[in-house]
Every structure is written in structure tokens, then in C-alpha cells.
Amino acid sequence: MSRTSTRRRGREFQAALWLARHPGSVLAPGAVTASGMELGWSTTGGITGAAALGLAGWYRAHPDTFDRYAAPHLRAWRRRWVRYVGPRWRDIVRACELSSTHRKTGEELFPRLLRVRSASPHVETLFVKLVKGQHLRHFEAKLPELTEALKAQRVAVERVKPMVIALIVQRSEPFTEVIDAPEMPETVDAVDFTDIYVGEDEYGNEFRLGPLGQHVFIAGATGAGKNSIPASLLRGMAPALRDGLVRLWICDPKQMEFAALAPVAHRYATATEDCAELVGEYVADMQATQRELSAQGQRKITVCRETPLNVLIADEMGALLAYGDGASARELRKSLALVGSQGRATGHSMLGLVQEPTKDTVPVRELFTVRVCLRVTSASHVDMTLGEGARLRGALADEIPNVPETAGIGYVVRQRTRTPLRVRSAYVSDTEITELVDFVRGTTRLRAVS
Ligand SMILES: Nc1ncnc2c1ncn2[C@@H]1O[C@H](COP(=O)(O)OP(=O)(O)OP(=O)(O)O)[C@@H](O)[C@H]1O
């Protein structure tokens, strides 16, 4: 209903509305006061102290679960009240000329901060209710001013629903140094095919992927550092490759970085038709394993020489699917779909690399169980890679600067919470690829052992 009166809403009602919007601010002090009056102030102090101690104990004892479940809420709450408390938010909005004046009452109207989310220490998402007459465009036009006013590195904006937008505020860069290539274990016993080190996450934890039972999709613009992820995985499995427990199948239309691995690959192809044939063989191999498994009454393989882990690396998937000749591309899509849906039990995994996640690659994307989005050139590529809403939740992969210092940086979505996690893969140089190849072929001893 539009306002016709020239009088403002009374202050007592403004206060009541504020309290209704912030029930926590009423309930928390209310609960403490009630407890103090009912149970006595020393008991209440004891309960509050025990809760704080419990939280501190959790923080120290289980960093993983604390960082995942408690930290985002505590951080969001603290930032809400330290950085964006009423007058501060209004000052920022006013300084960026994003407030407006009510025509009749002359009252200054501010876009209202509905919610602050902070899934990682480096990013906050501010959900903002627009003032009538405002549009996403007004905020887009003021992004540079907002970035300065918020003292942020970067601010992005997205429309959430009518009258509500999200400002995604990146505060800092967790990765300022290149991460060394993973060491190669000496023996197969040291390799866990479901858990291989490939880099670090923004909390300083190890970023690990498991090729056994998973298909990994990696999107990133040219120079984003896609190759480091498969290369790190291969280094982590080096003794298994050497001993015939892992077989490598490579589709390499570009014939650049992966060409160095050709000598240790079980199959290697470059032309689209040859790649289609290679993937066809991969499917036949998978189906043969399926028959063996069902003859033995088993549901999945144990990695050994007889039933090795097969890893299919499909570089430039977009090019293979979109620009190759029609029949081969169709054949490839069908075969990849089969591997995607049936290959996990038989130990037939895929690592798919794309420069641009477009509509040709998106249907295939759904076949992959783990997706990594490195620097991409368009905001739409983020959700195309990681799934709807990923960018809104803070996966600003399109905002990663296009400079060599950011290679290998990107996002994965945590399966349980769907929160994007900023990660950086270890960097595997050409020399370290050569070292891997020599190790697998048995022409060198190890440089180092984990
Ligand atoms: N994880 C990393 N950490 C630091 N630097 C890296 C990392 N990965 C790659 N780089 C640097 O970025 C350059 C480009 O990497 P890479 O060739 O893997 O990119 P790409 O995404 O595969 O690009 P293209 O699609 O053009 O092949 C490398 O030569 C290297 O200098």
C-alpha cells in the first residue's frame, strides 16, 4: 500500500519493528535476565561461562567441524554487529548515494540489511532489501564506491528475488604463495585412491580428491591452472601407475601439457574421432569389468593388477563435444554418459577439463561427482560449473584476477553444506611431470618420499 500521509511512523513502532526483525537481540538478553532472576546470577554466570568454555574446547579440539558448522554463524554474527550495525550500514549506503528520500515525508530511506552470511573468513554475503524504485542496476553502478566504502578487495552483486539483492564482499586473498607439487610416495601401500592430496583450502586444510569412485570436472579459462589438479593426482598415485594398478587413458586434442604423459598412458588420442574411439574402448573395458564383477557376485572392485583403477583424462571437453564432427561428438557424449553413470563401481573414473562450461558441456557436467571452478571469464560459468546459486553463496570465480599469480585458485562446493570453498591446487611444473614419467618408467629413483 502506498503511503499518503506526510507523517512518519512513530518511534515506538519503529523500535517494535526493529525488535521483531532481530528476535535474537531480544531473546538472548531476555533469556540471560530470566535465568539470572530465576536461577540466581552466579548460576547464570556459570552456565554462560560453561557455554563459552564448551565453544572454546570445540574450537581447539575439532577444527574441522568447528570451521564447518560453528565458525560461519559466529563470524557472520560478529561481522553483522561490528561492521554493519545500523549507523555504519546507513553511512556506507549514504556515502555511495544509494539512499533515497520519501517524496511526502522527506524521510531518508535506506536499503535494509536483511542478513549477513560468511561461509569463509574471506567472503561475506550481504542480503539487502531494496528501497522502492531501486534496482540491481543502481548497485551495479556503485560497485567501485561500495568496494572502497566497505574496505573490501572486491564486491559483486546478484539479484536474489524481487526487491532483494545479495552483495558478495571479498575481504582478503588466502592464497598468496604457490603450493609445492605433491611428493610421490614410494610404494603402493602409501596410496589411498579415495583420498589424494592436491592442494589446500582457504582454512589451511589439505584439499584432497579421490579418483576411485569419483568423476572430477575442472573448469577454468586458459591459463587458470587446470592441469595441476590431474598432475597432482597422478603424482599422488605414482607407484600405482608404475606397478600397473592404475591405467591412464588420455584424450588430448590440444596436445600440450598432457602430451608429456603419453609414454606412461595406456591409451592416448588427439583427433576427435580417435578420442571417440578411445572412449568407446573405455566403455567396453568398463562393461567387461561389470561382467566379471557380476560373475563373482561383487558390487565393486578392489584395486589390484587384475582390476586396476582406470583414469580417463578428457582435456578440452568443450572442444571435443562442441566443435568436433557431429557423429563423433554424439558418440562421445553417449560414451561419457555411460562412464559417468556406471564407471564408479568398476573403477573407471573421469577427469574432465573445460575452458568454458557452455550448454554443450553442462549436461555432461551433471555426470561428475566433484566439480572445481578455477578462474572463469563469465559470472554465468560459475553456476554452470558448480550448480545453481554457487556464485551467490560466494564462489566468485569470475572475479579471480587474470594474472599468473592466481593460477590454480578456484572453488569447490562442499557436498554436505553446499558452501563454496576457496582452494588452490599445488603447482606441478614440467620438470615435475618429467620426474613422474621417469619414476613410472623406472628410469629414476625418487627425489623425495612422503
Ligand atoms: N597450481 C598452480 N599454482 C601456481 N601456478 C600455476 C598453477 N597451475 C598452473 N600455474 C601456472 O599457470 C600456467 C598455466 O597453467 P595451465 O597450463 O595448467 O593452465 P590451463 O588452465 O591448463 O590453461 P590452458 O587451458 O590454456 O591449457 C602454468 O604455466 C604455470 O605457470
Side-chain angles (χ1 to χ4, degrees):
M1 199 177 75
S2 66
R3 284 167 68 175
T4 49
S5 172
T6 53
R7 287 184 305 110
R8 296 179 188 187
R9 183 180 282 136
R11 290 221 174 267
E12 68 283 16
F13 283 96
Q14 285 184 22
L17 254 178
W18 187 91
L19 288 173
R21 282 176 192 145
H22 301 88
S25 313
V26 187
L27 290 178
V32 172
T33 313
S35 163
M37 287 165 65
E38 268 311 301
L39 308 173
W41 290 106
S42 50
T43 313
T44 304
I47 295 172
T48 320
L53 263 178
L55 217 53
W58 183 12
Y59 173 79
R60 305 276 307 169
H62 290 284
D64 269 1
T65 56
F66 187 91
D67 285 355
R68 187 175 305 157
Y69 299 111
H73 296 288
L74 292 173
R75 195 166 41 238
W77 181 82
R78 182 170 53 81
R79 291 187 180 180
R80 169 83 170 90
W81 293 107
V82 172
R83 288 184 179 155
Y84 303 112
V85 72
R88 291 203 178 178
W89 171 247
R90 285 199 294 272
D91 282 352
I92 290 166
V93 170
R94 190 182 287 128
C96 297
E97 298 173 348
L98 286 165
S99 61
S100 65
T101 309
H102 191 273
R103 201 165 42 87
K104 290 201 174 124
T105 62
E107 186 183 358
E108 194 175 8
L109 303 173
F110 298 94
R112 189 153 55 81
L113 188 55
L114 297 174
R115 227 171 35 239
V116 177
R117 289 277 176 272
S118 181
S120 105
H122 308 280
V123 178
E124 289 148 22
T125 308
L126 316 181
F127 291 85
V128 177
K129 173 115 192 250
L130 300 177
V131 171
K132 241 183 223 160
Q134 275 187 336
H135 187 268
L136 175 81
R137 276 193 310 272
H138 293 102
F139 277 75
E140 274 174 351
K142 294 288 179 183
L143 283 184
E145 289 84 351
L146 274 169
T147 307
E148 297 307 325
L150 290 167
K151 299 194 181 93
Q153 287 205 345
R154 231 161 283 122
V155 179
V157 62
E158 292 214 6
R159 186 172 187 266
V160 180
K161 58 183 184 181
M163 294 299 286
V164 178
I165 58 161
L167 292 172
I168 303 135
V169 182
Q170 184 174 340
R171 293 275 168 197
S172 55
E173 172 56 69
F175 303 113
T176 47
E177 285 177 17
V178 173
I179 300 168
D180 291 340
E183 301 295 358
M184 295 186 286
E186 191 159 20
T187 61
V188 170
D189 303 344
V191 181
D192 177 354
F193 296 103
T194 61
D195 193 37
I196 293 174
Y197 171 83
V198 288
E200 286 179 15
D201 72 20
E202 58 189 309
Y203 297 104
N205 302 320
E206 293 187 343
F207 166 37
R208 303 180 81 93
L209 293 174
L212 179 61
Q214 301 282 5
H215 303 300
V216 184
F217 185 77
I218 305 156
T222 177
K226 298 182 286 299
N227 297 311
S228 275
I229 296 177
S232 295
L233 282 172
L234 293 179
R235 277 181 68 93
M237 298 191 292
L241 257 173
R242 177 195 60 195
D243 298 352
L245 274 76
V246 170
R247 282 196 312 190
L248 199 52
W249 308 58
I250 304 179
C251 291
D252 184 21
K254 216 166 50 183
Q255 304 174 52
M256 293 287 286
E257 299 83 358
F258 290 112
L261 291 168
V264 294
H266 173 70
R267 287 276 276 112
Y268 175 83
T270 54
T272 309
E273 307 77 55
D274 297 340
C275 289
E277 198 185 310
L278 182 153
V279 180
E281 252 182 62
Y282 197 71
V283 171
D285 193 77
M286 177 184 82
Q287 289 167 340
T289 313
Q290 275 170 345
R291 285 192 293 276
E292 270 172 45
L293 282 181
S294 81
Q296 293 163 8
Q298 287 174 6
R299 290 176 57 200
K300 58 180 186 185
I301 61 149
T302 308
V303 178
C304 60
R305 271 172 178 275
E306 291 68 41
T307 48
L309 167 64
N310 288 280
V311 178
L312 169 66
I313 298 181
D315 195 14
E316 295 292 336
M317 269 179 76
L320 283 172
L321 294 172
Y323 314 124
D325 88 75
S328 302
R330 265 198 306 280
E331 194 55 41
L332 255 174
R333 199 169 291 135
K334 225 172 80 191
S335 302
L336 290 175
L338 280 172
V339 178
S341 55
Q342 299 172 18
R344 293 166 67 191
T346 60
H348 288 77
S349 301
M350 297 192 284
L351 304 180
L353 284 72
V354 293
Q355 285 196 353
E356 277 199 7
T358 57
K359 64 176 172 37
D360 297 289
T361 50
V362 166
V364 184
R365 170 201 79 176
E366 298 301 334
L367 305 169
F368 291 83
T369 49
V370 179
R371 294 176 232 150
V372 185
C373 187
L374 304 178
R375 176 178 56 78
V376 284
T377 51
S378 147
S380 64
H381 291 172
V382 179
D383 285 5
M384 282 186 174
T385 306
L386 299 176
E388 214 174 302
R391 188 174 189 278
L392 192 60
R393 293 193 300 276
L396 292 181
D398 56 305
E399 301 264 334
I400 297 174
N402 180 5
V403 290
E405 291 75 31
T406 63
I409 297 178
Y411 293 88
V412 287
V413 170
R414 294 181 196 174
Q415 289 195 327
R416 223 176 304 162
T417 59
R418 295 181 65 231
T419 309
L421 188 65
R422 197 165 166 106
V423 292
R424 181 169 212 177
S425 66
Y427 173 47
V428 182
S429 66
D430 291 349
T431 320
E432 283 148 339
I433 295 264
T434 310
E435 187 190 40
L436 165 70
V437 172
D438 289 346
F439 174 69
V440 174
R441 298 172 90 192
T443 50
T444 53
R445 289 275 315 141
L446 267 186
R447 175 172 57 95
V449 176
S450 70

